[in-house]
Amino acid sequence: MANADNAITLRENTVNLVTEGLLRDYEVRVANLVSSGTNLGSAAILTGTNKWSDYVNSAPIADITTGHAFIRSQTGLTANTMVIDKD
């Protein structure tokens, strides 16, 4: 083992591979937790006339205000960032 660079590299590569796999799994589990409405305690399903693309009947400001109030009541913190997708 004293001059076995390949053996050391093999062990190092194995450790790196396992570590990366564990970190990816952790990232997927966290993403599933924070993006699921059931884990947030409150989620608004926008269907039918509630969809924000229905410019006449939808109320996006009211939906945001409701979500903001829920976050404040559950955590005591004031939300100051919102993430939405392009659609």
Side-chain angles (χ1 to χ4, degrees), residues 3 7 17-18 22-23 25 36 47 52 60 72 80 82:
N3 286 330
L17 181 66
V18 170
L22 290 171
L23 290 173
D25 179 62
S36 170
T47 59
W52 290 354
R72 177 121 173 110
N80 62 2
M82 180 171 86

Side-chain angles (χ1 to χ4, degrees), residues 17-77:
L17 181 66
V18 170
T19 302
E20 287 179 21
L22 290 171
L23 290 173
R24 282 191 194 124
D25 179 62
Y26 179 71
E27 185 176 350
V28 167
R29 287 185 287 135
V30 169
N32 289 337
L33 270 175
V34 300
S35 62
S36 170
T38 58
N39 291 324
L40 297 174
S42 174
I45 307 301
L46 302 176
T47 59
T49 59
N50 292 332
K51 287 185 181 181
W52 290 354
S53 59
D54 183 346
Y55 302 119
V56 174
N57 299 308
S58 65
I61 300 299
D63 293 337
I64 293 168
T65 302
T66 301
H68 192 266
F70 178 80
I71 291 168
R72 177 121 173 110
S73 72
Q74 295 297 309
T75 66
L77 302 172

